[in-house]
Amino acid sequence: ALLRAAPVAGDNGVREKFAAIIDPLRYPSEGLTENDVREIRRIKARVDDERMPRGADPLLHFKLGAGGLSDVEWTVQLLQLEHAGQIEGLRTPRTLPALEAAREAGILDEEDAEALTAAWLLASRARNATVQVRGKPADQLPGNPRERAAVAAVLGYGPGETEDMLNDYRRTTRQARAVVDRIFWGE
């Protein structure tokens, strides 16, 4: 949670004091121990097991699905905890700038950074399109063919290209999950 903390209002002196207190916690100068990494992985595994709603498709869930928003964010935050003490560019509460900083620092190679960025952007866009189509919050691509076609249209796919949208989503998140497996899980 502290990695996401960003002051938005208030006295500058108080904000600076707060940052001075939390920065050593969220950007440890020595990075993480193997035990720390193991514990973070254990927590994520538990979150993955317990938070996926019953009946949800784990390949099409925007937040918790394989290669979805959560996978990308946990991976970025692990890299921040490991390296932000030494690399100032990683000291951001925003996922995409942190990904770019990791790429620039050589922590992520170009292909891995692109895969994670593409998945995060597509899952975000698809979630927003689904909300727009349904008019209410949504956590995964709709199963209803009409709604799915409408989401595809909002994402810029033409008539009859719903399967292309679905295949693109699955391919993009599968590529991101491969990076997550290697970088976050150490496989």
Side-chain angles (χ1 to χ4, degrees):
L2 291 178
L3 286 170
R4 298 295 216 164
V8 293
D11 179 83
N12 283 340
V14 172
R15 290 178 5 198
E16 289 171 9
K17 286 178 186 176
F18 181 69
I21 292 168
I22 67 170
D23 281 355
L25 298 172
R26 63 183 178 169
Y27 311 130
S29 61
E30 300 301 317
L32 298 174
T33 67
E34 278 301 313
N35 286 338
D36 294 334
V37 172
R38 211 174 2 264
E39 180 64 10
I40 290 168
R41 288 175 176 158
R42 186 194 65 73
I43 291 168
K44 177 161 176 27
R46 185 174 173 196
V47 167
D48 287 351
D49 287 343
E50 294 177 4
R51 292 203 47 220
M52 183 67 71
R54 174 173 272 141
D57 185 336
L59 298 178
L60 300 179
H61 197 279
F62 303 126
K63 183 73 176 171
L64 302 173
L69 297 168
S70 180
D71 270 356
V72 174
E73 290 167 357
W74 278 82
T75 301
V76 168
Q77 291 169 10
L78 180 66
L79 293 175
Q80 288 177 298
L81 288 167
E82 289 178 321
H83 302 284
Q86 305 300 319
I87 301 169
E88 194 168 328
L90 287 171
R91 299 175 193 173
T92 175
R94 298 176 54 218
T95 301
L96 295 180
L99 270 170
E100 178 59 21
R103 187 200 58 75
E104 287 176 1
I107 296 167
L108 283 176
D109 67 31
E110 186 80 29
E111 191 173 298
D112 289 349
E114 285 177 11
L116 294 175
T117 299
W120 194 90
L121 288 171
L122 181 56
S124 295
R125 289 183 61 233
R127 180 172 59 181
N128 292 340
T130 303
V131 169
Q132 187 176 359
V133 165
R134 288 189 164 167
K136 60 182 181 180
D139 294 323
Q140 72 178 28
L141 281 170
N144 176 294
R146 251 187 161 164
E147 287 182 342
R148 192 174 278 177
V151 169
V154 171
L155 293 174
Y157 290 86
E161 294 180 342
T162 303
E163 284 301 311
D164 294 339
M165 181 268 304
L166 185 58
N167 290 336
D168 288 346
Y169 186 86
R170 287 180 174 153
R171 182 183 68 260
T172 301
T173 55
R174 185 176 55 248
Q175 290 170 345
R177 183 54 190 232
V179 175
V180 170
D181 286 345
R182 203 168 1 87
I183 303 296
F184 182 87
W185 295 109
E187 295 177 3

